[in-house]
Amino acid sequence: MNIRLHISTALACTAALFSSCDGYLDVEPKGRTQLETTDDYLGLLEEVSPNYDHANSLNICNEASWYKVEELKNYTSPLRSAGFLWNEDYDRAAVTINSSLYNNCYNRITNFNVIISNIHTAKGPDSDKALAMAQAKIMRAYNYFFLVNTFAKPYDPATADNTNGIIIREKMFESIEEKGVQQSVGYTYNFIQKDIDEAIADLPHTALNSFRPDKTFGYAFKAKVHLFKREIDECIAACLDALAEAPAGKHELWDMNDEYNRYSPQLLMAYGTDRAIDRPEFMGLNDAIESIWKNGVQKGYDAPENLLYQFGTTNNDPFPMYLTADVISLFDQQADLRMLYCLRYRRSHETAPEGDREFTSMGIRWNPSGMRLSEVYLMLAECYARKGSPADIAQAMNYLDIIRSRRNIRSRYTRLTTSDAAEALKFVREERKRELFFTYNGFFDLRRFCTEFNETLTKEFEGETYTLAPNSTLLTFPFPLKAMQTSDLKQNSK
């Protein structure tokens, strides 16, 4: 992996100078360091820890629980419990004093605006200026995408232009007194699309490392925004562009069978089984067997499948975190390698909800906040399922098979087949839950599907039934109080 370029303290201070009073800086900067060369500006593109804290959203989309069930029930961590128990009566805005996701995204946007506003004055090659401008715009768009899909209501083409969105800063501010303007959801999406379209041509075929955006990521992100806007044909076109570009970026899908074929014969020879099984005859062997899969199987930040790597709440996410039994039930227990490599065969804390299991892989970097090439195939499968003709449905199943054949043990793998458009979309949605669990996609998908299909969801927990309505306030996180106090924001949730 290439050595990452980090933002130096001096560069960070320069960027911070131009931050407004929108509530994401607690300390006003004292000084200013001059940015002079294109290398100085390129250093602003990448952080030491590109974190996107979306842990509480995983509880709302019923992917994550907690290792102490009593703490869930007793609201030890209120946002986690309110989300997990689907309690929209709880006043989340009152306890959301600050938000690291909100702060981090706007701090990054400030850095990107410094580049976009000033890179033309830098000393250095024009090619570096074009590169910095393109990567700053695509990453600015990416951070706005996170913000609008967290703190504003889900996109609905019929109401987006009249729905309050988020603050959009289109350029570097002239002073710290200048305030941002809260735009509509529709305006925000249009701004995101404009940034993407202006950036793609100058994105590199191969980025410096997986923390920098390349052209394949640009097309894939473009497709994702079209998908969220329900622009199906445009999404397909961008996905196909991403697949055509992927070889130049050295991107390819990870075939998990490679590791299985390497380690399974050794385990069968040594222990008579290749997996941890909760049966008496395997007691004492389970830890040894699991350690092979959880430590031996490696996929790092720079894995070819990663189009852009970004952290979750920490750089170790999602380890350790409990996946709910509802999501686990979607996996083929005998074939799916995502389970074998990443999840314990049973809960290790008896205080956790029964049936839930924890993500414990030490070798697989899960990329909780970035994008992987598998998403492109999933988007294509969804779009063709939505188009609904027999040929389109067959195409959707083909794209699903490309992913599933690389995620399941081939000798135990069964291809999905259907001629029904509704069932095809159901297959796609279930595969998204399997492939993208413990990433931000679970919550973002929950929002868009509930809104588009007017879905009311139910789940069982300790004998009680919980309901999530399609217009639930839980689908939108409240702005933090600090941002509300220092800006003209109108709250979008409670």
Side-chain angles (χ1 to χ4, degrees):
M1 178 177 175
N2 291 323
I3 298 174
R4 295 177 58 191
L5 295 180
H6 301 309
I7 302 175
S8 69
T9 302
L11 295 181
C13 288
T14 302
L17 174 68
F18 298 103
S19 302
S20 78
C21 298
D22 291 331
Y24 61 93
L25 281 181
D26 294 328
V27 180
E28 184 176 319
K30 300 296 184 183
R32 176 177 179 178
T33 300
Q34 188 69 37
L35 296 168
E36 295 182 347
T37 70
T38 52
D39 283 343
D40 292 338
Y41 284 96
L42 286 166
L44 290 175
L45 284 169
E46 191 179 334
E47 316 173 81
V48 175
S49 297
N51 298 114
Y52 296 77
D53 183 359
H54 51 81
N56 289 322
S57 71
L58 296 174
N59 301 117
I60 298 173
C61 65
N62 196 31
E63 287 188 12
S65 60
W66 187 239
Y67 77 103
K68 291 184 178 180
V69 71
E70 291 302 317
E71 291 187 358
L72 281 174
K73 294 189 290 187
N74 293 331
Y75 284 73
T76 302
S77 176
L79 293 181
R80 179 192 297 130
S81 295
F84 181 80
L85 298 172
W86 286 350
N87 181 4
E88 64 177 35
D89 292 329
Y90 188 87
D91 189 358
R92 295 180 300 160
V95 299
T96 305
I97 308 302
N98 213 335
S99 164
S100 62
L101 176 64
Y102 189 89
N103 297 347
N104 289 342
C105 284
Y106 276 114
N107 282 333
R108 283 188 284 264
I109 288 166
T110 298
N111 289 338
F112 304 143
N113 279 341
V114 168
I115 297 171
I116 293 165
S117 296
N118 292 297
I119 188 65
H120 66 282
T121 67
K123 299 174 183 176
D126 288 343
S127 58
D128 281 357
K129 295 177 183 180
L131 172 65
M133 180 71 79
Q135 291 187 319
K137 283 190 172 183
I138 201 82
M139 290 305 297
R140 179 172 70 176
Y142 195 64
N143 280 268
Y144 278 135
F145 185 76
F146 259 88
L147 289 165
V148 76
N149 278 286
T150 303
F151 299 103
K153 290 183 178 179
Y155 183 91
D156 183 339
T159 60
D161 290 338
N162 299 312
T163 301
N164 281 339
I166 59 174
I167 288 176
I168 296 292
R169 305 194 193 98
E170 302 186 20
K171 59 182 178 62
M172 189 179 74
F173 282 0
E174 298 299 327
S175 71
I176 61 175
E177 285 77 25
E178 188 174 350
K179 290 185 178 182
V181 177
Q182 184 176 12
Q183 302 287 359
S184 69
V185 170
Y187 184 98
T188 302
Y189 267 85
N190 289 337
F191 186 80
I192 289 169
Q193 284 187 306
K194 180 175 180 290
D195 262 358
I196 295 171
D197 290 339
E198 291 177 355
I200 285 179
D202 290 319
L203 290 173
H205 295 294
T206 305
L208 177 67
N209 57 54
S210 63
F211 294 85
R212 298 281 186 95
D214 65 8
K215 203 179 291 288
T216 309
F217 166 75
Y219 285 125
F221 181 37
K222 175 180 172 67
K224 191 164 193 167
V225 174
H226 283 305
L227 180 66
F228 275 56
K229 292 186 71 178
R230 308 178 199 175
E231 297 167 348
I232 303 306
D233 289 334
E234 293 88 344
C235 178
I236 290 174
C239 282
L240 294 176
D241 286 337
L243 293 185
E245 175 64 27
K250 299 180 174 60
H251 297 297
E252 62 182 7
L253 287 177
W254 177 26
D255 191 341
M256 300 175 99
N257 281 274
D258 292 341
E259 286 76 15
Y260 179 78
N261 293 335
R262 180 183 310 140
Y263 292 115
S264 182
Q266 301 172 27
L267 290 171
L268 289 170
M269 183 178 298
Y271 304 115
T273 180
D274 61 5
R275 61 191 58 233
I277 301 174
D278 196 12
R279 298 208 313 253
E281 62 265 37
F282 293 112
M283 293 302 293
L285 300 179
N286 288 327
D287 289 342
I289 294 168
E290 276 204 331
S291 70
I292 297 296
W293 300 121
K294 304 305 185 290
N295 297 297
V297 178
Q298 300 286 316
K299 182 169 79 78
Y301 299 131
D302 57 349
E305 189 171 294
N306 289 327
L307 306 184
L308 177 77
Y309 198 100
Q310 302 285 270
F311 299 148
T313 306
T314 73
N315 64 343
N316 289 320
D317 280 5
F319 174 87
M321 189 178 290
Y322 269 85
L323 188 67
T324 62
D326 287 344
V327 177
I328 290 170
S329 69
L330 298 175
F331 290 88
D332 184 333
Q333 307 286 313
Q334 298 304 312
D336 204 304
L337 293 168
R338 290 166 292 200
M339 289 193 65
L340 186 64
Y341 294 170
C342 297
L343 302 176
R344 284 189 60 87
Y345 74 104
R346 62 178 180 178
R347 60 181 181 172
S348 59
H349 297 89
E350 294 302 317
T351 55
E354 188 171 357
D356 294 6
R357 289 159 59 177
E358 59 200 301
F359 187 109
T360 55
S361 171
M362 296 296 290
I364 296 175
R365 296 296 181 180
W366 200 242
N367 200 359
S369 303
M371 287 192 74
R372 307 196 301 253
L373 188 60
S374 59
E375 273 202 65
V376 177
Y377 291 95
L378 287 168
M379 288 189 287
L380 283 167
E382 179 176 336
C383 287
Y384 281 110
R386 286 172 175 274
K387 288 171 77 71
S389 74
D392 291 326
I393 294 171
Q395 189 75 288
M397 294 300 99
N398 286 337
Y399 282 119
L400 276 187
D401 184 62
I402 290 172
I403 299 172
R404 289 171 48 77
S405 64
R406 289 164 172 79
R407 301 302 193 238
N408 289 269
I409 301 170
R410 285 202 176 88
S411 62
R412 303 174 188 172
Y413 165 66
T414 302
R415 179 188 172 106
L416 295 175
T417 60
T418 185
S419 58
D420 180 74
E423 186 174 38
L425 185 57
K426 174 178 176 290
F427 286 158
V428 172
R429 292 181 62 176
E430 290 176 347
E431 191 60 32
R432 288 186 67 87
K433 293 290 284 185
R434 287 186 287 263
E435 175 66 16
L436 302 173
F437 75 88
F438 284 166
T439 72
Y440 66 91
N441 291 280
F443 180 60
F444 287 9
D445 281 353
L446 176 75
R447 288 163 44 92
R448 67 187 180 95
F449 288 131
C450 280
T451 300
E452 180 178 359
F453 300 126
N454 197 35
E455 292 180 340
T456 297
L457 305 181
T458 60
K459 70 175 180 180
E460 301 292 324
F461 176 65
E462 293 195 341
E464 293 190 38
T465 300
Y466 295 84
T467 302
L468 184 70
N471 61 349
S472 172
T473 55
L474 292 171
L475 298 181
T476 302
F477 275 81
F479 291 123
L481 287 175
K482 284 192 175 182
M484 296 290 295
Q485 292 167 353
T486 56
S487 70
D488 296 326
L489 278 169
K490 294 181 180 178
Q491 188 60 275
N492 290 331
S493 186
K494 69 173 187 177

